[in-house]
């Protein structure tokens, strides 16, 4: 049960930051007078899903929601996340190992 609570908190905070950041960028572009359109809600939801669940769950969300145009970008973002996070995780482990002995 503690793991379920931790994962719920993790996913909730990640989704809030993703949607909040997208809303902040949109509000900022409106205030500056530029007609720049940042990200649609479906793009933000897929990005959040790809970052947490990886390419398999992101592609499943894209297909099941009828967003076939976003299928390939969601798979690419998920794989890029795997590639970057692997090296960040190894670096984090090495840093913790050096600090903790």
């Amino acid at each position: 049960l503690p793991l379920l609570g931790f994962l719920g908190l993790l996913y909730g905070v990640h989704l809030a930051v993703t949607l909040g950041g997208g809303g902040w960028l949109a509000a900022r572009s409106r205030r500056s007078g530029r007609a720049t359109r940042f990200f649609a809600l479906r793009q933000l939801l897929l990005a959040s899903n790809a970052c947490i669940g990886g390419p398999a769950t992101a592609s499943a969300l894209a297909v099941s929601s009828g967003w076939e145009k976003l299928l390939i970008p969601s798979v690419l973002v998920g794989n890029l996340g795997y590639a970057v996070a692997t090296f960040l995780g190894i670096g984090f482990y090495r840093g913790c190992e050096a600090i903790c002995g």
Side-chain angles (χ1 to χ4, degrees):
L1 195 59
L3 180 62
L4 184 63
F6 172 72
L7 292 175
L9 180 68
L10 176 75
Y11 295 156
V13 168
H14 186 271
L15 185 62
V17 168
T18 302
L19 295 179
W24 179 76
L25 286 173
R28 186 172 176 198
S29 74
R30 280 194 295 272
R31 266 186 265 133
S32 68
R34 289 180 281 156
T36 306
R37 182 173 172 258
F38 279 92
F39 302 108
L41 179 62
R42 63 182 181 207
Q43 292 171 324
L44 293 171
L45 291 173
L46 270 174
S48 176
N49 187 290
C51 289
I52 289 185
T57 60
S59 61
L61 177 64
V63 169
S64 67
S65 299
W67 304 331
E68 282 83 12
K69 280 179 85 172
L70 297 175
L71 177 63
I72 293 174
S74 66
V75 171
L76 291 175
V77 167
N79 282 319
L80 178 65
Y82 279 167
V84 171
T86 298
F87 294 107
L88 289 177
I90 291 171
F92 183 74
Y93 170 76
R94 299 288 171 143
C96 287
E97 188 179 44
I99 292 171
C100 296

